[in-house]
Amino acid sequence: MFKKVLVFVIIGAFILGLGLAGCGKQADSPDGQASEEVKELIIGSDTAFAPFEYQDEKSQEYVGFDMDLIEAIGQQMGYEVNVQGMPFDGLIPGLEAGSIDAVISAMTITEERAKKVNFSKPYYKSGLTIVVKSDNTTIKSFEDLEGKKIAVQIGTTGSNTAKTIKDAEIREFNTAPEAFLELKAGGVDAVINDKPVNDYYITQMGGKDGKTVGEPLTAEDYGIATAKKNTELAQMIDNALEELRSNGEYAKIYEKWFGKEQ
Ligand code: ARG
């Protein structure tokens, strides 16, 4: 009799153990793999896109609106955040290959991209604008770009929009700063890129290297991307984002980089 009870106890403990191990698995790692280490999120970002993500000259650390936001999201979820700098057009392939857990990179939510990855709820409203040299008097709107030379960052919505312009010569660069440099050097007539980044660049340069012309060309929303199959992490990020919006943390971060939210 005693033996029988003992067998049941052992089997029971075994089943319970399995169950607990299963829970641990899910809680420990966003990709469902068990791990004993600190819970960590590997975040991919193209970190040359101020004021969203860029390297602080002194500390060499990645700073910006996106960096503060993802740090706060990680904290909310109980994860440490580890940002890996990588080329913008390598971010979605990185998610697909599983080398990163999520992407925050001022990435616009597009139908095309949403076929390959999950996007969080929108976290920032943006759009594209045109930047020309300060002394340019011939380009005043999108229509004036016909047949012109235009610099863009490779793989971006700015690049897609530029490609719709009749007879334009599109020069694609790996980073946005390189596109601005080309404008400054006189190699192109205009840059098409995200408005907040253009505005930041123009202000940073004291208005002498460029100016915005015309109205915004698009209305775009930024989202945090995760691998298609990792719906659990996508949900955790959305929950954290919602919490940061309701507890005022999002507003604080927004205000730090852009001033009061309108
Ligand atoms: N919002 C644009 C896009 O999604 C440009 C983003 C570029 N981001 C960056 N970190 N370089 O295509």
Side-chain angles (χ1 to χ4, degrees):
M1 178 61 192
F2 178 73
K3 254 193 187 160
K4 245 190 193 162
V5 170
L6 191 67
V7 168
F8 276 125
V9 167
I10 291 172
I11 292 176
F14 186 63
I15 291 173
L16 195 70
L18 273 185
L20 286 179
C23 291
K25 246 184 192 176
Q26 285 185 350
D28 273 351
S29 167
D31 57 13
Q33 271 158 27
S35 96
E36 300 294 316
E37 306 137 39
V38 199
K39 295 191 283 180
E40 187 187 51
L41 277 181
I42 314 275
I43 306 292
S45 186
D46 167 38
T47 53
F49 214 59
F52 292 94
E53 43 263 336
Y54 61 104
Q55 210 165 12
D56 182 74
E57 276 174 26
K58 275 198 210 113
S59 69
Q60 296 292 302
E61 269 176 48
Y62 295 140
V63 296
F65 175 78
D66 282 355
M67 300 294 100
D68 284 351
L69 185 62
I70 199 67
E71 186 63 41
I73 287 173
Q75 235 170 51
Q76 187 65 38
M77 288 169 37
Y79 280 78
E80 226 163 70
V81 164
N82 176 352
V83 176
Q84 310 256 302
M86 49 203 286
F88 189 74
D89 62 349
L91 293 170
I92 289 182
L95 278 180
E96 289 177 314
S99 53
I100 48 178
D101 296 315
V103 164
I104 191 159
S105 199
M107 185 178 270
T108 302
I109 302 172
T110 68
E111 247 175 67
E112 203 54 36
R113 290 172 181 159
K115 285 181 194 152
K116 300 184 191 159
V117 296
N118 297 314
F119 278 109
S120 68
K121 295 265 158 52
Y123 72 86
Y124 187 91
K125 278 190 195 318
S126 188
L128 299 169
T129 53
I130 305 162
V131 181
V132 297
K133 274 192 144 179
S134 309
D135 56 3
N136 183 309
T137 52
T138 53
I139 300 172
K140 297 193 186 69
S141 69
F142 191 62
E143 287 67 44
D144 299 330
L145 291 176
E146 208 177 299
K148 293 286 192 293
K149 284 194 209 126
I150 302 163
V152 295
Q153 181 181 15
I154 199 163
T156 60
T157 50
S159 164
N160 293 342
T161 298
K163 284 173 186 165
T164 66
I165 301 168
K166 200 166 159 270
D167 297 328
E169 189 187 310
I170 311 304
R171 306 268 313 273
E172 296 194 283
F173 293 88
N174 287 325
T175 66
E178 286 169 275
F180 287 130
L181 270 182
E182 191 67 9
L183 178 70
K184 190 177 174 183
V188 292
D189 304 295
V191 168
I192 297 182
N193 186 47
D194 299 35
K195 179 178 189 300
V197 175
N198 294 342
D199 292 349
Y200 186 88
Y201 168 76
I202 291 168
T203 314
Q204 220 40 26
M205 295 298 149
K208 66 177 171 29
D209 287 338
K211 64 177 179 187
T212 300
V213 289
E215 293 299 308
L217 308 175
T218 54
E220 306 184 5
D221 283 317
Y222 294 163
I224 298 164
T226 45
K228 202 79 204 172
K229 61 175 192 313
N230 206 351
T231 48
E232 194 190 332
L233 176 60
Q235 191 57 57
M236 284 163 83
I237 290 175
D238 265 343
N239 293 346
L241 200 54
E242 207 180 296
E243 180 59 29
L244 296 176
R245 282 204 195 264
S246 58
N247 72 12
E249 194 60 34
Y250 176 93
K252 260 193 221 153
I253 297 172
Y254 188 99
E255 207 178 321
K256 170 177 169 191
W257 293 98
F258 304 105
K260 274 242 182 304
E261 215 178 337
Q262 279 125 33

